[in-house]
Amino acid sequence: MTASPHPSPFPDGFLWGAATAAHQVEGNNTNSDAWLLEHLPHTLFTEPSGDAIDHYHRYREDIALLASLGLTSYRFSLEWARIEPEEGHFSPAALAHYRRVLEACREHGLKTVVTYHHFTSPRWLLATGGWEDPGTPERFARYCDAVTAHLGDLIDIACTLNEPNLPPLLATMGIGGEVPEQRADVPVWAAAAECLGIAPQRVAPFQFTATEAGYEVKLAAHRRGTAAIKAHRPDLMAGWTLANSDIQAAPGGEDRAEAVRREVNERFLLASREDDFVGIQTYGRTVFGPDGVAPPPADAQTNQMGEEIHPQGLEATIREAAAIAGVPVIVTENGLATEDDTERLAYLRTALTGVASCLADGIDVRGYHAWSAFDNYEWVFGYRPKFGLIAIDRTTQTRTPKPSAHWLGEVSRTNGASLASDRRAVGART
Ligand code: BGC
């Protein structure tokens, strides 16, 4: 570790990492529901994922690169559609693949933060009623059992479900969230139903299902999945990772903001009390005015999705999570979609200063993972948004670390001490 004159509030063993999700980086995830949805008529996706960044084949060089930057942790997800390609049929080859990925992390000294489900499910699961079907928690538990039996010894932290609370947040912005009776009128759900041979009201993909039934199924899947994981590794820290926007009110929007904060943040944080940790994933703030979500102020800097850049949201949501859930917090995602890496670096610096402030106040934060390790497939937005610390030329699949990657690596090598001196150097403007 590089010597630094500045004290750091980051405890020894704090995880300094970057995150990815299988579907966004692996490529050709053809047996998943997301692949199906990308290729339907009336698709919501601006472009298909295709080869993505070919991480499925290039994981060794990718992991070596992350470690060479100085990071100590890699959060990534396993692809259920590869591991259980048909219901009840597990693929030894796919499990062996992920074992090699985990071993590569070990070889390079990276802790493994493993997400069992990051939005995508096998296509067969969608055909059985997906994330509103009462049988799904049992199916998910069986998958968690198989995964942990084969890979559990190499996993350092287990994340069951990624962002089960994103759908209600998206629904407040008019994305997805249709109740079953409305789905026949939404062209893409009607097309999915026809393709799967089920009724449109039964089309319930994880990311777009915001019903109460969906909540019950996800919570039960999380509980049963956790129990299946613990049956093999009682000592393995397990929890879910949440989409925690910093929910705020503009004048006239107080009641709406409070209602959304309760439904999207508090409800899920209360459920996290039974877990070993809660994963926090914050990108900014969502401000409610009298007419719903308020647009960013006219003079606000915005990201590539047109949202206000607000790195201070991370500190607010860590404090909210710690106060409500009362369990250790791990920042499992945080980052900015921008072509301007200077902007990203400033964002990360401010966000991490917020983490340091939480630690200084005695809040138990165990790690920070930037989203994302690489520029990758940003779901319905396709490849345009650039969240990566590492740029990808998708024609040659060449990887090029950006200055923010080297900066975060240095913060990691000094366990946060360089952050304090760096902020002094820039005059702590943000
Ligand atoms: C998700 C990621 C996504 C990121 C940036 C989170 O909602 O977990 O898959 O790419 O935010 O939008």
Side-chain angles (χ1 to χ4, degrees), residues 95-340:
L95 286 162
H97 167 80
Y98 288 115
R99 197 160 178 88
R100 291 192 293 274
V101 175
L102 288 158
E103 281 166 354
C105 291
R106 279 282 154 99
E107 279 163 34
H108 290 281
L110 294 177
K111 295 284 186 203
T112 56
V113 180
V114 176
T115 309
Y116 283 55
H117 185 276
H118 193 121
F119 293 158
T120 49
S121 307
R123 190 178 156 135
W124 59 258
L125 190 91
L126 196 60
T128 60
W131 291 92
E132 283 173 351
D133 188 82
T136 289
E138 172 58 31
R139 297 180 187 111
F140 182 66
R142 186 179 52 196
Y143 158 71
C144 290
D145 170 65
V147 164
T148 318
H150 285 85
L151 308 175
D153 58 317
L154 295 175
I155 298 176
D156 292 308
I157 292 176
C159 310
T160 56
L161 302 178
N162 183 69
E163 299 191 346
N165 63 334
L166 181 65
L169 182 64
L170 290 180
T172 65
M173 300 166 190
I175 304 169
E178 293 85 10
V179 296
E181 308 78 68
Q182 295 170 327
R183 290 181 193 147
D185 299 327
V186 180
V188 69
W189 306 139
E194 193 181 334
C195 196
L196 294 164
I198 59 174
Q201 59 266 30
R202 297 194 65 221
V203 176
F206 188 95
Q207 266 168 296
F208 302 104
T209 304
T211 56
E212 190 57 22
Y215 172 78
E216 296 295 343
V217 166
K218 287 171 187 170
L219 180 61
H222 170 57
R223 295 271 185 258
R224 297 190 65 158
T226 302
I229 292 167
K230 296 276 186 180
H232 293 283
R233 284 272 322 268
D235 60 314
L236 182 54
M237 272 186 99
W240 59 9
T241 59
L242 301 178
N244 288 106
S245 184
D246 179 5
I247 310 264
Q248 300 184 359
E254 291 81 1
D255 291 350
R256 189 80 201 286
E258 181 55 13
V260 173
R261 194 193 64 74
R262 280 175 193 270
E263 189 199 342
V264 175
N265 289 3
E266 189 172 273
R267 185 182 205 190
F268 289 83
L269 290 168
L270 286 170
S272 310
R273 286 182 173 178
E274 292 180 32
D275 298 332
D276 299 322
F277 75 95
V278 60
I280 287 300
Q281 315 197 150
T282 304
Y283 289 86
R285 64 176 169 179
T286 311
V287 181
F288 288 87
D291 306 319
V293 177
D299 59 345
Q301 279 187 295
T302 54
N303 65 22
Q304 283 182 295
M305 280 97 119
E307 300 151 345
E308 181 185 2
I309 299 179
H310 186 72
Q312 297 83 354
L314 182 61
E315 176 174 352
T317 54
I318 292 174
R319 289 183 186 277
E320 179 185 34
I324 298 173
V327 293
V329 171
I330 301 175
V331 180
T332 38
E333 288 181 25
N334 173 249
L336 179 66
T338 178
E339 290 281 0
D340 178 354

Side-chain angles (χ1 to χ4, degrees), residues 66-97:
L66 293 174
S68 74
L69 290 167
L71 299 181
T72 61
S73 178
Y74 180 35
R75 172 176 179 246
F76 64 96
S77 77
L78 310 173
E79 190 55 55
W80 188 358
R82 296 188 196 272
I83 291 175
E84 191 179 357
E86 285 297 340
E87 181 161 15
H89 292 270
F90 289 88
S91 162
L95 286 162
H97 167 80

